[in-house]
């Protein structure tokens, strides 16, 4: 039946001999052909049966028609001829033929470009939120395509890193993704919108620090203050400004989080509340994530300090001046990196100390809850002993409550005697059970 699909247009005009032959042979029912005529009647550009038409091309008409049936015909032709050259899908008449190509082109363009803001060595913005092709950035800064992955925000869950290349230093720490050269710094995704508030603050801080560090004030013998150019290379000033921003962000986040945790721990020392325990769980998770983030930054700095080639390669200004530097001659940048490494380690130690307090508080809370649980269990045991004792008296009264003839019905003191025996058995079993429970508790404690 499927080999008759290309002749649907001929069937619509009533001139399909192949379909009629298939009906005569019994391969296709007459109802199917009538239904197929009805479905293919409202085609675009259809003319009368007697009108003259150019030679029919089923592939072209199927691709150009907006009918769902003709689209199915076209897809079947493609699947039946896999060796032929693939043809484009028929356009959707509701969405428009240019909607999908435009969306694809927009996504492709966004994947091949990066937004960045560029500052010169004096802290002036030369390019604000400019879009550049990745290939252009690689050619301009002498980078490989894999290097841009570290500073591309589209790649999530990236580890912090400081990469040293021939003419640039790549920095990926927290919200900062920067490329530092001997005479400029490029900040990526620094658009200045509310969603990138941290990058906007970073640009302002970098401007202030680069301008203040580019000149320094010295006092002469006569007491006159003179502004002189800083002797520290620009790449070190830019890298130090980035590290200062990273450490400041970590310290502010740590201060807020630690204050929240400490206030909650102080409350839990006074009383145990279920809602506060739930908050403690959330703060404990946040503290753990923050501690892992700080540890990753510390590892990134330590990795650079362990490589003498990377430390020596950070002297970008001397590379431009074609000045030779020994591999082990990197005291200036090493001291700077170690200074901020110590600050990051202090944050790590403080976070670990607070995490230890949280774990201690959780242990104490668990001990308190276990004690309360044990108290409930003891109460349940006491009630069980009392129930067993009462059941003994109930059993005795049940024996005498049966409608059987015995010698106690006419005795005047029978009720008093039976009641006394039942009460005595209840008291005896209760006292015996409680004493046994106390002995077990003494052995446990």
């Amino acid at each position: 039946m499927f080999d008759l699909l290309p002749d649907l247009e001929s069937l619509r005009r009533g001139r399909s001999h192949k379909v009629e032959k298939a009906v005569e042979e019994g391969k296709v029912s007459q109802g199917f052909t009538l239904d197929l005529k009805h479905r293919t009647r409202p085609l675009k550009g259809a003319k009368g049966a007697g009108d003259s038409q150019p030679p029919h091309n089923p592939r072209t008409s199927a691709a150009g028609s907006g009918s769902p049936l003709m689209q199915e015909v076209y897809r079947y032709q493609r699947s039946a001829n896999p060796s032929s050259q693939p043809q484009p899908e028929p356009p959707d008449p509701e969405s428009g033929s240019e909607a999908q190509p435009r969306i694809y082109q927009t996504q492709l363009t966004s994947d091949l470009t990066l937004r960045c803001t560029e500052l010169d060595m004096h802290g002036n913005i030369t390019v604000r939120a400019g879009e550049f092709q990745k290939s252009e950035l690689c050619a301009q800064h002498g980078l490989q395509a894999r290097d841009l992955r570290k500073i591309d925000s589209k790649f999530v869950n990236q580890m912090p890193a400081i990469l040293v290349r021939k003419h640039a230093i790549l920095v990926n720490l927290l919200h900062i993704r920067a490329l530092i050269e001997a005479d400029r710094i490029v900040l990526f995704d620094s658009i200045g919108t509310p969603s990138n508030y941290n990058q906007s603050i970073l640009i302002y801080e970098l401007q202030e620090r680069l301008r203040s560090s580019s000149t320094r004030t010295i006092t002469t013998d006569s007491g006159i203050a003179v502004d002189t150019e800083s002797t520290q290379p620009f790449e070190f000033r830019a890298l130090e400004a980035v590290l200062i921003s990273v450490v400041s962000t970590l310290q502010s986040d740590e201060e807020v989080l630690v204050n929240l945790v400490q206030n909650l721990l102080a409350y839990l020392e006074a009383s145990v509340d279920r809602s506060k325990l739930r908050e403690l769980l959330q703060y404990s998770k946040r503290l753990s994530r923050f501690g892992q983030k700080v540890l990753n930054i510390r590892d990134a700095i330590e990795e650079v300090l362990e490589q003498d080639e990377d430390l020596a390669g950070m002297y970008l200004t001397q590379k431009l001046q074609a000045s030779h530097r020994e591999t082990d001659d990197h005291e200036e940048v090493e001291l700077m990196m170690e200074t901020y490494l110590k600050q990051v380690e202090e944050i790590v130690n403080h976070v670990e100390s607070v995490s230890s307090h949280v774990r201690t508080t959780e242990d104490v809370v668990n001990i308190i809850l276990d004690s309360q649980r044990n108290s409930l269990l003891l109460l349940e045991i006491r009630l069980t002993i009392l129930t067993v004792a009462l059941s003994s008296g109930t059993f005795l009264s049940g024996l005498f409550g049966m409608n059987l003839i015995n010698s106690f019905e006419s005795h005047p003191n029978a009720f008093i005697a039976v009641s006394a025996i039942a009460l005595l058995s209840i008291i005896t079993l209760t006292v015996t059970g409680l004493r046994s429970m106390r002995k077990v508790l003494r052995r446990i404690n």
Side-chain angles (χ1 to χ4, degrees):
M1 183 180 65
F2 290 99
D3 61 340
L4 304 179
L5 289 175
D7 294 330
L8 288 177
E9 286 294 327
S10 300
L11 175 62
R12 184 182 60 83
R13 295 191 299 269
R15 296 194 300 266
S16 178
H17 301 289
K18 188 180 296 185
V19 173
E20 293 175 358
K21 183 177 179 181
V23 172
E24 293 176 358
E25 295 176 357
K27 295 182 179 179
V28 179
S29 63
Q30 185 67 28
F32 172 79
T33 59
L34 294 177
D35 182 69
L36 201 58
K37 288 181 181 180
H38 174 72
R39 291 178 179 273
T40 57
R41 184 175 301 163
L43 297 176
K44 272 190 174 182
K47 298 182 181 181
D51 297 340
S52 60
Q53 293 185 0
H56 172 65
N57 188 349
R59 182 182 297 273
T60 307
S61 63
S65 173
S67 173
L69 180 60
M70 298 310 298
Q71 292 182 9
E72 292 297 331
V73 172
Y74 173 72
R75 293 191 181 95
Y76 170 75
Q77 290 176 345
R78 289 184 57 192
S79 62
N81 300 293
S83 59
S84 60
Q85 185 177 0
Q87 300 292 334
E89 286 286 341
D92 190 359
E94 297 181 359
S95 60
S97 59
E98 296 182 357
Q100 294 181 355
R102 287 179 180 175
I103 295 175
Y104 177 75
Q105 184 178 4
T106 303
Q107 295 176 351
L108 184 61
T109 304
S110 62
D111 292 339
L112 296 179
T113 60
L114 287 176
R115 272 189 164 183
C116 56
T117 298
E118 183 177 316
L119 287 79
D120 61 9
M121 60 189 310
H122 300 292
N124 301 320
I125 298 178
T126 57
V127 177
R128 181 184 294 273
E131 291 190 1
F132 298 91
Q133 295 288 334
K134 291 184 179 180
S135 57
E136 180 183 353
L137 290 173
C138 292
Q140 183 178 1
H141 302 285
L143 302 175
Q144 299 292 332
R146 60 179 178 271
D147 296 332
L148 294 181
R149 295 177 62 91
K150 281 295 181 181
I151 53 181
D152 192 352
S153 61
K154 297 183 181 65
F155 298 97
V156 296
N157 298 328
Q158 290 186 353
M159 296 294 292
I162 301 177
L163 305 179
V164 181
R165 296 298 180 256
K166 186 176 181 180
H167 299 294
I169 301 174
L170 301 176
V171 181
N172 179 12
L173 299 175
L174 290 183
H175 59 280
I176 301 177
R177 290 173 172 83
L179 185 147
I180 302 174
E181 292 187 343
D183 56 350
R184 56 186 166 181
I185 177 173
V186 181
L187 301 175
F188 293 88
D189 293 336
S190 302
I191 308 175
T193 60
S195 59
N196 296 284
Y197 177 75
N198 292 330
Q199 284 86 349
S200 303
I201 297 299
L202 174 63
I203 292 176
Y204 175 76
E205 293 177 352
L206 275 176
Q207 286 180 305
E208 295 297 326
R209 286 168 182 162
L210 290 177
R211 290 169 183 171
S212 60
S213 60
S214 60
T215 59
R216 62 176 182 174
T217 303
I218 60 174
T219 304
T220 60
D221 296 337
S222 58
I224 301 176
V226 180
D227 293 337
T228 60
E229 293 290 335
S230 176
T231 57
Q232 191 178 24
F234 169 77
E235 60 269 18
F236 292 167
R237 292 188 282 118
L239 181 59
E240 186 173 10
V242 171
L243 292 175
I244 290 174
S245 179
V246 170
V247 173
S248 301
T249 303
L250 291 177
Q251 289 176 347
S252 60
D253 293 345
E254 176 207 10
E255 183 179 357
V256 173
L257 186 57
V258 168
N259 287 336
L260 292 174
V261 173
Q262 289 179 349
N263 292 335
L264 185 58
L265 294 180
Y267 181 87
L268 288 175
E269 289 178 358
S271 62
V272 179
D273 189 3
R274 292 183 61 183
S275 61
K276 297 300 180 180
L277 290 177
R278 194 176 296 108
E279 292 182 9
L280 180 63
L281 176 61
Q282 296 176 359
Y283 287 147
S284 178
K285 292 180 179 179
R286 289 177 55 184
L287 193 64
S288 177
R289 289 194 297 267
F290 178 76
Q292 186 62 42
K293 184 194 305 182
V294 180
L295 284 175
N296 292 336
I297 294 176
R298 184 193 66 179
D299 294 341
I301 299 176
E302 286 182 345
E303 184 178 357
V304 176
L305 287 173
E306 291 174 356
Q307 302 294 330
D308 292 336
E309 294 82 2
D310 291 345
L311 292 175
M314 288 185 175
Y315 290 84
L316 304 178
T317 303
Q318 291 191 1
K319 288 183 180 180
L320 290 180
Q321 299 172 354
S323 177
H324 177 70
R325 175 173 288 273
E326 297 294 336
T327 306
D328 56 350
D329 187 10
H330 45 69
E331 182 179 359
E332 183 179 2
V333 66
E334 184 177 5
L335 291 176
M336 180 186 68
M337 298 289 288
E338 287 179 350
T339 300
Y340 294 101
L341 177 62
K342 294 296 183 183
Q343 297 183 17
V344 174
E345 287 180 345
E346 291 176 0
I347 298 176
V348 171
N349 294 333
H350 194 194
V351 171
E352 290 179 350
S353 176
V354 176
S355 300
S356 177
H357 292 166
V358 171
R359 288 191 295 269
T360 303
T361 303
E362 290 177 350
D363 294 339
V364 173
V365 169
N366 289 331
I367 292 174
I368 295 174
L369 294 178
D370 291 340
S371 177
Q372 295 178 353
R373 192 180 301 110
N374 293 336
S375 300
L376 294 176
L377 291 176
L378 289 177
L379 177 60
E380 184 180 359
I381 293 174
R382 292 188 179 96
L383 292 176
T384 304
I385 293 174
L386 182 60
T387 303
V388 173
L390 290 174
S391 64
S392 64
T394 306
F395 173 74
L396 185 61
S397 63
L399 289 178
F400 287 94
M402 291 186 294
N403 295 325
L404 299 176
I405 298 174
N406 53 63
S407 60
F408 290 98
E409 287 89 351
S410 59
H411 196 282
N413 297 324
F415 177 77
I416 298 175
V418 172
S419 300
I421 293 173
L423 182 61
L424 182 62
S425 64
I426 292 173
I427 295 174
T428 302
L429 289 177
T430 302
V431 173
T432 304
L434 293 177
R435 286 182 177 178
S436 300
M437 185 185 68
R438 289 177 182 175
K439 289 180 180 180
V440 172
L441 291 177
R442 288 176 183 175
R443 292 175 184 177
I444 295 175
N445 296 331

